[in-house]
Structure formats: C-alpha cells, structure tokens
Amino acid sequence: MDFLLVQFLTGLANASALFLIASGLTVIFGVTRVVNFAHGSFYMLGAYLAWTIVRALWDWGGREPWLFVLGLLLAALAVGAIGALVEILLLRRIYRAPELFQLLATFGAVLIVQDITLALWGPEDLPLPRPRWLRAFIEVAGERFPLYDLILIFVGPVVLGLLWLLFQRTRFGILVRAATQDREMVAALGVDQRALFTGVFFLGSALAGLGGAIVLPSQNANLQMDLAIIAEAFVVVVVGGMGSVPGAFLASLLIAEVQAFGIVLVPKATLVLVFLVMAAVLMVRPYGLLGRPQAHARAPTGSVAPVIRAAPFVLKVVGASALALAAAAPLYAGPYGLTVLIELVVFVLFAASLHLLMGPGGVVSFGHAAYFGLGAYGAALGVRFLAVPMEVGLVLAPLLAGLFGVVFGWFVVRLSGVYLAMLTLAFAQIVWAAAFQWVELTGGDNGILGVWPSPWARDKALFLWLALALCIGATVLLRRAIYAPFGYGLRAARDSELRAEAVGLNAAQLRLVAFVIAAASAGIAGGVYAYAKGSVFPTYISIPKSVDALLMVLLGGVQTVSGPIVGAVAFHGLFLTLLQWVEWWRAALGLAIVALVLAFPEGVAGFVQRRWEARFGAAS
Amino acid sequence: MLEIARLNAFYGRAHILRDLALSVARGEVLVLLGRNGAGKSTTLKSIIGLVRPAPGSSIRFRDREIAGLAPHLIARLGIGYVPEERRIFTDLTVMENLEVGRRSPPEVRTPWTPERLFALFPNLARMKDRPGGRMSGGEQQMLTIARTLMGNPSLLLLDEPSEGLAPVIVEQMAEAIAAVKQAGITVLLSEQNLHFAARVADRAAIVEKGVIRWQGSLAALDAAPEVKAQYLSV
C-alpha cells in the first residue's frame, strides 16, 4: 500500500516534466498547426544548457539552490530564444507549404540539433553534480521519497496556473486563443501573425527547455532525449486534445501514472501500455479528452489535389531503361554497388506502399516503418523459431505485416487528420516497443541474426534479381491499383467522403483495404531487406525509419505516381553519399532536407511534372 | 477613398473576378448587389487580402496601392472586414472578441470603445462575459461588426450583413449601419436583400460573373425594373 503511494507520487513528479513539454507542443500546434518534431530537441537542449549554465553559476557562487533555480530559468529562456530563431529562419518561410512539409522541415531541424549538440557537448551522458540538498529525502508513509521529486509535483500545477493567467488575462493570450481557432480572421483584424507565431514558438520552446532542465538532476543530459520524449509528448498532446493546455495537463497525469504503475504491474510492456492507453482514448474520444474537431477545412483555395494521370510515354521509356540498367548491374557494379542497389529497390517499394496510403488514400501514416519492420520480423521469427527457408519467410513477411495492417488499420481509418497520423505513430511505437522490450521473442536490442537467403539466392546478382522481381513487381501492381476501380473509389473517398458514400462507396472500408495492401507491400520490402542484411533490429521500426518513408514520398511528390520511386532513389542516394563522405552527416542530411523543403514545396517529381506540363502541356 | 481597377481573382483555376472596376467615395454607403456566386464576397475578400488578387490588379485605398499586401497590413491602413460567416471566436467571450479587434491608430480622435459599441448594440451589453459560441446568430452578427469597429476603420467592408437574420434584427442592423455612416465611416457592403440595401445604401453596383454591370443610385435602380430582372431576380 505504502509502496503504491510512493509510486503514485513518482508518477505525479514525472507528470510535471511531461506537462511542460506537452503544453509547449500543444500551444505551438494550436496556433501554427505545425506538428513540431523539433520540440524534443528543444527539451534536450534545455537539459544540456541547464547542465552548462547551472555548473557555471555554481562555480561562481557556490552550490546554492537559488542559483540552481536561476540556471533552470535561464536555460528555459535560452531555449525559447532558439525556438523563436528556428521559427523566424525556417518555419516562417513554409507556413504556406502543406503541413507535412513543415513536419519534414522540423525533422531536419532535429537532425541538425543532434549534431550541434554532439559537437558542443560530446557523446557522453552528462550528469549534474548533486549537492546534499538535491539528494535529500523525506519520509512518506515510511518510505523514502526524494525531496526534489516532491517539489517537481508542484511545478506542473504552478505552470498550468501561470499559463491560465497568461491566456485569460493578457492580450497576447487572448490573441493566441483567437488564432488557435481562426488565424485568418485574426489577421483580417490587423494582427501580425508573424509576431504572434514567433511569440508562441518562444513560449512553447521555453516550456520544453524548462521541461528538459528540471529532469536534469534525475536523468543526465544525453543525446537520445529528443526522440525518446517526442513520441511521449505527442501521445500526451493527442490524448489531451491538440491545442488544449488543460487537456495536456490531464493527459500528462494519466500517462505518467500509467507509466509509474506499469513498471510495477507489467515491467515488460510499459512502453506498449502507454500507446494502448492512447489508442483506447482515441477510440472513445476521437479528438482527445478536451479537444475539439478542427475547423481546418476553411477556404481550401487552390488545395485541390490534381488528377493523377497515366505516365507519359517518355516516362515509361525512362522507367523501363532504369529497370534494365538495374537488372544488368551485375555486369558493371561491384558487390557494394549491388548491395546499394538492393537497398534502393527495397526502399522504392517501401515508399510506393506508403504513397498508396498518402496520395490516393489521403491517409497520412507517421508509422509506416511498423509494417516494414513487421515484414522483417515476420521473416526473421520464421527463421528463428520454425527454421523456415527463405521462400516461406518471404511469404510470412507480408502475412504478418498485413495481419497487423488489418488490426491497426481498423482503428486508424476511423480517425482523420493529425489524430489519425498520431495513432499510426502510436501503433508503430507499440510494435517498436514489443521488438525492443520482448527480449525472449525478438532478442530485444540485439535483434535476430542469421536471416540468410536460401543457397540459390546467396549470389548477390541472383538476390538482386529476386529483389527486383518482388519489389518492382509489387510496385508496378501498386501503380496498377491506383488506376483500377479500387483506386478511383479510394480517390473519391479521399476528396469527398460524403459524396463517395452517397454513390455507394464504403469509404472506411476502401481505406482499410488500402491500409492492408500498403502494410503487406511494406512487409514484402521488409522481408527482402531482412534477407539482404541477414539480420533484423528494432531500429527498422523506429521513428526515423517512418520519417525516411515520409521523406521519400514527400520529396518525390505525393500527387505523382512516380514520386515515391524518384523520392526513394534520391533520398537513399543522398543518405548513403552523406554517410560516406561527410563526418557530420546528420546535420548535412538535416540541412539537405530543409533546403529541399524550401526549394521544392511540392516535391521533386511534382516540380518536374509542373515544369514538364508548363512546357509540353498536360498528358491526357 | 477606394479605387479598384482591373481586379482579377481566381479560386484554383476558376476565374471569379474579371477586370472588375469600382470606386467608393468617402463617406458613402455603396452596396454590391448580385446573385449567388456573382463575385460579391470575392470582391470584398480581395480588398482585405484574404483572396490574393491576380498580378496586374490594382486596388488603391487613400491613394495607396494595397493589392498583394498581407491582410493584417491592409487592416492596419484602416480597412475593417466583416465576414459573411461572422467567424466569431466561439471560445472567447464578447469582451475578449472585442479585444482581438482593438486597434487605435493615433489619428483617430474618438476611438470606438466597448461602451460606445454597447450603446449601438444594446444586446451585447447584457452578455459581456458570454462565450461567442453560446450566442444567437443575430447576436453574433452584432458582435462581428462591433469587433471590426474596435479597430477604428475608415472603410468598413460588410459581407451580407442581413443574411439569415430575423426581421427585427435586420432592422437593428440597418440602424447600426446608419450610425456607422454618421460616425464618418465609408461602407462597402454586399447584399442579396434588395429591400435592406435600399434602406441603408446611397448607391448600388451590380455584379454578374465577376464584372460590374450597372451602377447608380437606388432610386435609379428602383426605376429600372429591366435591370433588376436581368441581374437580380432568381
């Protein structure tokens, strides 16, 4: 009983930090509609900056508590300033771009911040030296409870109260609330949105920075903090209702308590538990606990998706030549070239499968790596437990991915917009958590090794041809599906669900079928990838992998069928080049992503298509 | 006050306004008449900048070119816009809605205050702390006008202010527009209700397919049944 009380208090203490981060994220989303991946980076910077500032202050004036508090606040302000700078330099230029491009740009910022942090502070975890008053305990029902955690418990409610005052009592707060609802109208009333957005970014980033700073005494500053927290912060924001600060508060309490007790009850599944809670909440309340449907459908000027047309003849020739060139690769490429080519082929299918969902389906998945990973694990588990040969493994791959596609898809297609995207992210995190924590089954972080092809396919050339046959074959089938009646129905359901249903199409069912097809296709890609590498790891399912797929589709262009192919080749080519030649490849990749988003807000293939049509007229 | 020339506007590929030309004189109330989809709302949105005028369009306000400026800059020059859908901030109270609109340019000697506006719209005075989402359509219509007046505009754009309102509220609207004119504000409104238009406006301009087809006094319009039949009757 007493133990449970302490566990409960620990949950409350953790909820405070979670609330600080999530409230910043939800305010930023509410006003700017930017899903800010870089928010986790602000949190990480908060911890690192606090580490530096607090130690400097302590060196100057002794290890006093008030200097510690001052240091945390200075770190928060510094992170706020960095956030405002990111808004001014980067996001301000792309508010007119589609939401997903903004998301990619913020992911570019994540990569850049990772390398900057590494360069400034080095790879080691940085603990804050803890003077006696930071290590003090108090007695709670006979158990020892850290005094610092007790103080943290009050930080969340205090910040909630301050935010309430800010939003109710100041002009800035009233403008923020108005802009959360209808920012265009706010502009028409003479309010400069840019200043408002910069202010909101300052506020949100400072909150994230403070969140990072206050956890420093208990969890060292480290380079994994950014992506570790961002998924959790998204969960809190979505469960609370996007844009709602009180919702974020409730949700942070809920999630932190689920984690605190999850560790006691189901230590192997704490991560899974959090995302299950989120899925459950969204099933009952599709807009979160305190959220409301977004009025984002206002004045869709010029946002109508162009009609997808069949490829012009030239493109078919180019495609066929590229395929022939790839098939002939064993004649001119070495083993490394063949390995790269196999990876490219795999990623083409991975991207094409996501494109079916995003383009014709209008379903934006933030967690497509789940199905890629399920395919890989399907094959690997078959090898590990049933010792099946590759031929069977490659059947298990799409089966397992497709099966989970049915289960997850059933939930996903019932939501829309950002909530849908966040649910796909949550499901991907469930799969990732299972792969990571369920060590008996999956080997955890060590992965599953020894996933080798059958003897006949061990030759690199033969495996390339197998990969080409499977992956390019599946990609061509996916393209066919877009022009089949199924594809027309899917696009109709995307453009107007109501009208599609009025003519007898079952929109949710069409999307579910698309989801399962996409999942199974990604599963094939994952299976081939597993045999190409000979091993599988949880990283196949991680957030960066899902973002890779998004990048490929978006860089290629969502509304062109060739987009994912061009995007996969371009992105993976870029990635390998940077990895090989640039020491700070993350920062370089981040900069490249940002530059591409700024230069081609409609994707590379979309850009080429528009230039082509401007020159030669639309293909008919 | 306002000089529009060669105004073109598009929604996607649809060409809505075609070389529209119109001028509004200081102190007058000009009503844009026309059927649904004629381009009335788009004209007003182009002026405030919510619809971007095509290149080559000219909108001069107090001898300054404003075509292509951002909406908030246009609003700051002294143009107030009241949207057809009202677009009240439903989470905000009446007073907070007014606060969002508040802007006091230094040259305005007697700025609008909540008190002055409550005198104009007595209904609002009784619900200062009510969220916009729990107001009737008529009350919201009053609030949306009051909110825009808080910015002390010298030109007021009103998009179909009588639409969907009960007759007694329409009457109050007409009185409010008269009071706004009294206060020296130029008004450009769009309207489908000819009776209401005749009640409030000095002059009418008829839009059809994005072009001004007819202009003149309301008396002249009343004396021209063939014009009404051609451009306004359904």
Side-chain angles (χ1 to χ4, degrees), chain A residues 260-278:
Chain A
F261 286 100
I263 288 175
V264 183
L265 301 172
V266 277
K268 288 267 173 215
T270 46
L271 294 167
V272 173
L273 205 57
V274 166
F275 294 104
L276 281 179
V277 167
M278 169 179 164

Side-chain angles (χ1 to χ4, degrees), chain A residues 301-302 304 306-307 309 610 613 618, chain B residues 9-16 18:
Chain A
T301 320
V304 181
V307 180
R309 284 179 288 271
R610 194 165 53 82
E613 288 183 2
Chain B
F10 296 80
Y11 281 123
R13 288 189 182 173
H15 197 165
I16 307 296
R18 298 165 181 270

Side-chain angles (χ1 to χ4, degrees), chain B residues 183-198:
Chain B
I185 299 173
T186 310
V187 180
L188 173 61
L189 74 155
S190 78
E191 201 42 78
Q192 299 223 41
N193 179 341
L194 193 54
H195 179 70
F196 179 78

Side-chain angles (χ1 to χ4, degrees), chain B residues 6 9 12 14 24 26 50 61 63 80 83 86 95 102 109 120 124 130 140 145 157 164 166 185 190 196 198 208 218:
Chain B
R6 305 181 307 279
V24 186
R26 181 180 299 274
L50 291 180
F61 174 62
D63 297 325
R86 296 168 196 148
M95 288 303 280
R102 182 171 64 83
R109 266 166 294 141
L120 194 58
L124 296 182
R130 185 176 297 184
Q140 285 192 348
I145 295 175
L157 310 173
I185 299 173
S190 78
F196 179 78
E208 193 209 42
L218 280 128

Side-chain angles (χ1 to χ4, degrees), chain B residues 112 116 120 149 173-185:
Chain B
W112 290 95
R116 268 181 80 196
L120 194 58
L149 287 175
M173 280 301 146
E175 283 167 19
I177 292 171
V180 164
K181 188 191 171 190
Q182 274 291 309
I185 299 173

Side-chain angles (χ1 to χ4, degrees), chain A residues 96 167-168 171 174-175 177-179 181-194 292 298 301-302 613, chain B residues 10-12 48 50 52 71-72 75-76 79 81 83 85 87-92 96 99-103 147-148:
Chain A
R96 286 172 189 279
F167 287 133
Q168 301 294 327
R171 177 171 168 83
I174 291 171
L175 292 181
R177 282 161 59 215
Q181 196 178 346
D182 187 347
R183 63 193 202 199
E184 195 183 71
M185 191 63 224
V186 171
L189 289 168
V191 177
D192 185 359
Q193 288 192 60
R194 291 184 306 175
R292 253 168 280 183
R298 197 181 282 291
T301 320
E613 288 183 2
Chain B
F10 296 80
Y11 281 123
I48 191 66
L50 291 180
R52 214 176 172 75
H72 74 272
R76 286 177 183 190
I79 299 182
Y81 169 70
E85 325 86 309
R87 295 172 80 160
I88 290 301
F89 304 115
T90 51
D91 292 350
L92 274 59
E96 288 173 337
E99 173 64 27
V100 176
R102 182 171 64 83
R103 231 176 37 78
R147 184 178 64 181
T148 298

Side-chain angles (χ1 to χ4, degrees), chain A residues 19 22-23 26 29 232-255 277-279 281-282 285-294 419 422:
Chain A
F19 167 64
S23 61
T26 212
F29 174 82
E232 247 176 78
F234 278 145
V235 168
V236 170
V237 167
V238 166
V239 167
M242 303 203 69
S244 164
V245 173
F249 185 74
L250 281 183
S252 61
L253 288 179
L254 176 68
I255 296 300
V277 167
M278 169 179 164
V281 168
L282 286 185
R285 295 188 64 91
Y287 299 102
L289 294 174
L290 298 183
R292 253 168 280 183
Q294 297 150 20
Y419 287 89
M422 288 296 152

Side-chain angles (χ1 to χ4, degrees), chain B residues 35 61 207 215:
Chain B
R35 298 191 183 98
F61 174 62
V207 200
Q215 293 191 57

